[in-house]
Amino acid sequence: MGKCLRKDYISDLLESITDSILTKLPIRDAVRTSILSTKWRYQWATMTKLVFEKYTSLISDGKLAEQEVSNFIMRFLFLHHGPIYKFKLSATCSLNSTDMDQWLLFLSRKDIKELVLKLYGHYRTIPSCIFSCQKLTKLSLQGFELKPPLSFHGFPCLKYLNLCSGSYTVEVIENLISVCPILEKFILGNFGNPLGLDIHCPNLKHLTLHGEFTNLHLEHSPLLDVLRVNFGAQAWECNVPMKLPVTYDRLKFIDLQRINYEEINAVLYVLHLILRSPNLQKLEIEATQFESSPDKVADLDFWEKECPTDFTFKHLKSVEMEGLSNKNCVKFLKFVLGRSPVLEVMIVSPHRA
């Protein structure tokens, strides 16, 4: 009898399925699949999504570890052929800036759509070639200094932008997002000097600001659905701008952290937001306390005095308040309760220890 031939199911898998399997493996294991069969020998070299997640080295010597990681990524990229739509690198060891510039130049020629770089240690200047990636839909950077070249005219396809723990000026941030016409989600982490921002982004739907901020102008972002902002430990710099009668009809969730209820400019800003957000459904606020100058202290009756008598939260169903440490906080709590006819959930917790 002849030998029974077994079908090689692994080799017969569709290329799209093979690519999906490889992207779910650690990058080194994806390369090791080359031993499975002749057809799989170079499958890893055509992967469209490359994820070097929390990539590190087993070598204890810092310099050798850096070189090992750099060499592996360099070899992997230069043996790759075809498009690369996603590249993610999260490195726990320091990496050579010159090597990284070469990787990013390589990626900029590969129709890259999603680029995520999380690095630790001193900030590196992002190479100018990244600003030529016109097909980018997602860009997330941590540990970089941002300096777009003069020739940069924007990312026409970018929908998601995350800038965390980097070095950048207010001008760079504002100019960058203003030339991303379809940007929908923007996350910014600022842990240096407090910033005041003017957001010009007509299609922005989700805005999250972590760190230290002292002012925020949203008049040119009317489509916001979600707003999360940390007021910072500093006093709010100036009175809320009331020049443009903008209504945030789509804004349903507001999360405001580290608000000083005794500081008049901060509570004016909160009042402006809630008055201009007629469809607000969920509100989360965390209070903080620091000394304000006498001319900036809010009156205890601020909310009832400044708010129109007929105003109500017509759609507010959930409120979470943390840090009720003084009478001003309690006054705001009473104000919300008294004007929320459809409220379903109210969570109140004391000031953090």
Side-chain angles (χ1 to χ4, degrees):
M1 294 179 63
K3 293 183 179 180
C4 181
L5 297 178
R6 295 182 179 178
K7 188 174 181 179
D8 185 355
Y9 288 100
I10 292 179
S11 296
D12 289 340
L13 288 173
L14 295 174
E15 188 172 332
S16 59
I17 297 177
T18 302
D19 189 62
S20 179
I21 292 172
L22 290 174
T23 57
K24 289 176 171 58
L25 295 174
I27 202 74
R28 287 188 183 274
D29 291 341
V31 175
R32 293 188 182 110
T33 61
S34 59
I35 66 172
L36 291 176
S37 71
T38 302
K39 187 175 179 180
W40 276 66
R41 187 173 182 182
Y42 298 109
Q43 285 289 344
W44 62 269
T46 61
M47 292 170 60
T48 58
K49 300 178 181 179
L50 307 182
V51 178
F52 297 83
E53 186 69 56
K54 295 181 180 178
Y55 196 81
T56 186
S57 170
L58 299 176
I59 299 176
S60 58
D61 183 284
K63 287 293 183 182
L64 291 176
E66 172 189 322
Q67 196 59 51
E68 182 208 7
V69 173
S70 293
N71 288 343
F72 178 78
I73 298 176
M74 188 82 75
R75 288 196 302 270
F76 189 101
L77 289 178
F78 288 173
L79 289 173
H80 187 279
H81 53 90
I84 298 176
Y85 298 135
K86 177 180 179 178
F87 182 87
K88 180 177 181 180
L89 171 63
S90 177
T92 57
C93 63
S94 179
L95 295 175
N96 183 279
S97 296
T98 303
D99 290 344
M100 188 174 303
D101 289 351
Q102 292 186 53
W103 310 337
L104 296 177
L105 178 61
F106 180 84
L107 291 170
S108 69
R109 299 168 178 172
K110 286 285 188 172
D111 294 332
I112 189 75
K113 295 181 179 179
E114 295 186 26
L115 180 62
V116 180
L117 300 174
K118 296 182 179 181
L119 304 179
Y120 304 90
H122 63 280
Y123 296 148
R124 301 166 177 81
T125 301
I126 196 77
S128 59
C129 62
I130 292 303
F131 297 98
S132 67
C133 300
Q134 295 293 287
K135 295 184 179 181
L136 274 178
T137 61
K138 178 178 181 179
L139 178 61
S140 181
L141 301 174
Q142 176 178 315
F144 286 91
E145 183 177 1
L146 214 58
K147 289 184 178 180
L150 294 176
S151 59
F152 177 65
H153 297 297
F155 292 118
C157 302
L158 196 68
K159 291 187 175 183
Y160 176 100
L161 177 61
N162 186 339
L163 303 176
C164 180
S165 299
S167 175
Y168 23 68
T169 64
V170 172
E171 291 75 19
V172 165
I173 296 170
E174 292 178 348
N175 291 337
L176 176 60
I177 60 178
S178 68
V179 290
C180 299
I182 64 171
L183 187 67
E184 295 181 354
K185 187 171 184 177
F186 178 43
I187 301 173
L188 175 63
N190 173 53
F191 302 99
N193 295 325
L195 298 177
L197 292 175
D198 192 351
I199 306 294
H200 284 251
C201 205
N203 287 298
L204 192 66
K205 297 179 180 178
H206 186 132
L207 176 63
T208 298
L209 304 177
H210 298 293
E212 299 290 336
F213 297 91
T214 58
N215 211 336
L216 179 61
H217 297 256
L218 297 173
E219 283 70 25
H220 302 286
S221 303
L223 300 185
L224 277 175
D225 291 329
V226 175
L227 174 65
R228 298 175 182 269
V229 60
N230 190 324
F231 272 55
Q234 305 291 323
W236 210 239
E237 289 181 348
C238 59
N239 289 333
V240 59
M242 302 293 284
K243 298 176 183 178
L244 298 176
V246 176
T247 299
Y248 307 105
D249 291 316
R250 297 171 180 253
L251 192 55
K252 296 179 180 179
F253 176 39
I254 296 177
D255 179 7
L256 305 174
Q257 302 295 309
R258 299 170 72 189
I259 293 176
N260 182 8
Y261 285 97
E262 295 183 347
E263 211 272 322
I264 186 64
N265 290 331
V267 293
L268 272 173
Y269 195 87
V270 175
L271 180 64
H272 168 74
L273 278 176
I274 59 180
L275 289 178
R276 303 291 186 183
S277 306
N279 296 308
L280 184 65
Q281 296 180 8
K282 185 175 182 180
L283 176 65
E284 294 183 7
I285 294 186
E286 178 198 11
T288 189
Q289 194 172 10
F290 56 87
E291 187 175 349
S292 299
S293 60
D295 61 324
K296 291 185 177 181
V297 175
D299 297 330
L300 280 176
D301 61 348
F302 166 83
W303 300 101
E304 295 298 337
K305 183 173 66 176
E306 298 292 335
C307 185
T309 55
D310 60 345
F311 173 80
T312 58
F313 296 97
K314 294 182 176 64
H315 303 281
L316 187 62
K317 296 182 178 181
S318 175
V319 175
E320 184 172 343
M321 297 180 63
E322 182 177 350
L324 272 72
S325 58
N326 55 46
K327 293 180 180 180
N328 295 69
C329 300
V330 175
K331 284 290 185 179
F332 178 72
L333 173 60
K334 290 181 178 179
F335 165 75
V336 173
L337 282 172
R339 295 174 181 255
S340 304
V342 298
L343 189 65
E344 296 176 355
V345 178
M346 167 69 86
I347 301 174
V348 180
S349 56
H351 189 70
R352 289 179 180 176

